[in-house]
Amino acid sequence: MLFRNVVIFGAGTMGHAIALRFARGGHAVTLTDVDRDALDRAERSIRRLAGTQSEQLGGEAPESVMARLRFAEDGFGAAAGSKSFRNGGTSSAVFTRNWPASCPRRP
């Protein structure tokens, strides 16, 4: 099952790793953070990881993965009508329970 748009709140280490995993699984993803610099760092890191993993795993071209990602400072606007997963704290239990089968390796 593909979600119309998965919204990840927080562009830190976990947030951008989760965003990449969903994008590689074929989902449209919006990664959001209140800090524009954090979003820019996350985008650079995701682009690098998408290329490295593509080479190592013989998978999808990084451009295709990146095309499914959007980076936004407006988290609530991005989440309107979306299925969202948050990282950290008590939300991690919700995250793992709802991990879609279309994404590689369940956490």
Side-chain angles (χ1 to χ4, degrees), residues 3-58:
F3 296 115
R4 182 178 57 189
N5 187 35
V6 177
V7 179
I8 311 292
F9 293 91
T13 302
M14 286 301 298
H16 80 261
I18 294 165
L20 176 57
R21 181 163 291 194
F22 272 97
R24 288 184 55 81
H27 303 276
V29 177
T30 301
L31 181 60
T32 183
D33 200 298
V34 295
D35 181 355
R36 183 74 236 179
D37 291 336
L39 285 170
D40 292 340
R41 283 190 304 273
E43 184 174 2
R44 286 191 303 272
S45 181
I46 288 170
R47 190 173 301 281
R48 180 181 51 77
L49 288 169
T52 302
Q53 290 176 355
S54 179
E55 292 170 11
Q56 292 174 346
L57 303 174

